[in-house]
Amino acid sequence: MNTRGVRRDMTMTNAEKARYKMKMMCEKHGIEYPNKSSSQPPEKKQKAADDTWRSKCISKFDLKPVPDDDSFPAGSEDAWKRYYQKRVKVEKDDPRLVDNYDSDGNSIAKEEGEEELEDIIFSWTDYGMESRLEKLMAEGCKWQWTPQKPKLGWDSDCKLQSADYYAYVWSPFAIPVAIDLHHSWYGKVGWSYSTLNTDYNYLMLDFEDSDEGGKYVELCSFDDDVIKTSNLNKATVDKLRKFLYGSNTEQMKQQTVSDKNFLFLLFGSMGTTDEHFEDDEKDACLGWTWIPWQHDGMKEKLFELKAPEDDDENGVPPTSLEKYSPRRCSWLRYAILKAADSLGPVSKHYQPPPRKKSSPESDYGYGW
């Protein structure tokens, strides 16, 4: 006697008995037992999955799965809804999408200063980013970013006096986060004075948080000759990378971008696409630049050390002191390379600006 079956029958409800008999019949005749855990047919379940905010975001913004991490949190529907609404709104203000022609194909008359603004946007987004910096990403991984219209100020001589750049960087993966970026520049020169201020700021946006408020964190700044870079360090780089990509492993760097190129892209998204990090658009100088051959004995020292003049560890060592021209290094380039642990044979000898003399007309202590 099969007592196991009797005990099972005695403890099962009528509904459970019916399902159990159905399952046994299906197994006996080789028929797949219908899964009763969901009342929706497979096609309706698929449609419901496709209608989620997460799936909408993945489809619309071409987001990829987080590499090698199936356990990474998918994100709540509320978070993806906030992400979708924010990104759609931001991308509507992308200055690259502005149409300069009317419905008849005629050029729309531009207001004063519009041509200069368009030149800056094109040079920043097309030449600086798309044609050069975005190619630093690993194959198959995109640098997803959305620039916003810069705010420009002009002096009485129609010379650029101030500029504010704004942009958002999005994860290329299905992670509902973004980094809000802002870079400001102000420069003015007179007969007996000169003023130069520039700073770079970021705000991490996690859409799991319903409150998008928060304060920008200053990454670095140059205020005349006062340089602040305490927040531009490896800890910040690691934090931003993990926030954007989900992890900061060496394998993830190979699948996305190196630390150095990550910072190149981050600052490029804020309007600074100059490969030397000396100027913004319209020759807006960013501040102090160390010039090795203007410092007593530095050129000779670097020559003796056989430091390649292009600041590349794998570059060609110099053979002629007379023809040797070691690469100059701005304060910003030095700070970026140091934060990425990528200082070269020349830049590792960088020197900050000396203090100013009492005379404001002296160029002592100025690299701009």
Side-chain angles (χ1 to χ4, degrees), residues 43 102 184 192 255 257 336-337 346 354 359:
E43 61 274 12
D102 60 23
S184 68
S192 60
Q255 295 172 321
V257 65
I336 289 173
L337 294 179
V346 175
S359 172

Side-chain angles (χ1 to χ4, degrees), residues 94-321:
D94 189 333
R96 295 173 295 183
L97 305 179
V98 174
D99 191 352
N100 295 315
Y101 298 89
D102 60 23
S103 57
D104 296 325
N106 300 315
S107 179
I108 299 174
K110 296 181 177 63
E111 298 180 6
E112 185 178 358
E114 281 296 309
E115 284 196 19
E116 288 83 355
L117 177 60
E118 287 181 9
D119 288 344
I120 287 177
I121 292 172
F122 177 81
S123 183
W124 168 31
T125 64
D126 189 277
Y127 174 73
M129 289 296 291
E130 184 177 348
S131 299
R132 190 169 64 84
L133 289 175
E134 290 180 39
K135 294 178 180 179
L136 297 176
M137 295 293 291
E139 185 177 356
C141 186
K142 291 175 61 179
W143 179 260
Q144 293 207 17
W145 76 297
T146 309
Q148 301 290 273
K149 184 178 179 179
K151 295 180 180 179
L152 308 177
W154 308 87
D155 63 16
S156 57
D157 296 323
C158 298
K159 185 178 180 180
L160 186 66
Q161 184 169 296
S162 65
D164 285 274
Y165 295 88
Y166 306 88
Y168 290 83
V169 176
W170 318 90
S171 174
F173 308 128
I175 306 175
V177 299
I179 302 177
D180 182 355
L181 300 170
H182 172 228
H183 161 45
S184 68
W185 178 90
Y186 176 85
K188 193 172 183 179
V189 178
W191 285 104
S192 60
Y193 67 91
S194 57
T195 301
L196 178 61
N197 312 105
T198 187
D199 58 43
Y200 297 84
N201 309 275
Y202 71 90
L203 174 63
M204 298 163 66
L205 300 177
D206 185 346
F207 293 95
E208 289 291 354
D209 186 354
S210 59
D211 181 11
E212 290 184 28
K215 293 183 178 180
Y216 282 103
V217 177
E218 184 180 272
L219 199 54
C220 58
S221 66
F222 182 96
D223 186 355
D224 288 330
D225 268 358
V226 178
I227 298 171
K228 295 181 181 179
T229 59
S230 59
N231 286 332
L232 181 50
N233 52 45
K234 190 177 187 306
T236 299
V237 176
D238 290 346
K239 178 178 67 175
L240 293 176
R241 288 188 61 109
K242 188 171 183 179
F243 181 72
L244 203 61
Y245 300 133
S247 71
N248 193 38
T249 62
E250 289 301 318
Q251 184 176 2
M252 179 62 78
K253 291 178 183 180
Q254 293 175 8
Q255 295 172 321
T256 54
V257 65
S258 68
D259 284 351
K260 181 178 75 172
N261 290 340
F262 174 79
L263 288 175
F264 284 1
L265 283 157
L266 197 73
F267 280 87
S269 298
M270 288 187 274
T272 301
T273 59
D274 173 34
E275 61 180 324
H276 304 293
F277 295 95
E278 295 179 3
D279 303 282
D280 278 347
E281 304 299 334
K282 297 295 180 181
D283 298 321
C285 180
L286 294 172
W288 166 256
T289 291
W290 173 64
I291 304 174
W293 58 87
Q294 289 186 355
H295 292 256
D296 292 341
M298 181 56 69
K299 177 179 176 179
E300 290 75 14
K301 177 181 178 180
L302 293 172
F303 181 80
E304 290 177 4
L305 293 172
K306 299 300 180 184
E309 63 180 8
D310 61 358
D311 199 30
D312 186 344
E313 289 283 0
N314 300 315
V316 179
T319 57
S320 170
L321 178 61

Side-chain angles (χ1 to χ4, degrees), residues 323-349:
K323 296 180 180 179
Y324 185 46
S325 179
R327 181 173 180 174
R328 51 202 284 161
C329 185
S330 71
W331 71 272
L332 182 55
R333 178 173 179 269
Y334 171 77
I336 289 173
L337 294 179
K338 185 179 179 182
D341 195 22
S342 299
L343 287 170
V346 175
S347 55
K348 67 183 179 181
H349 295 281

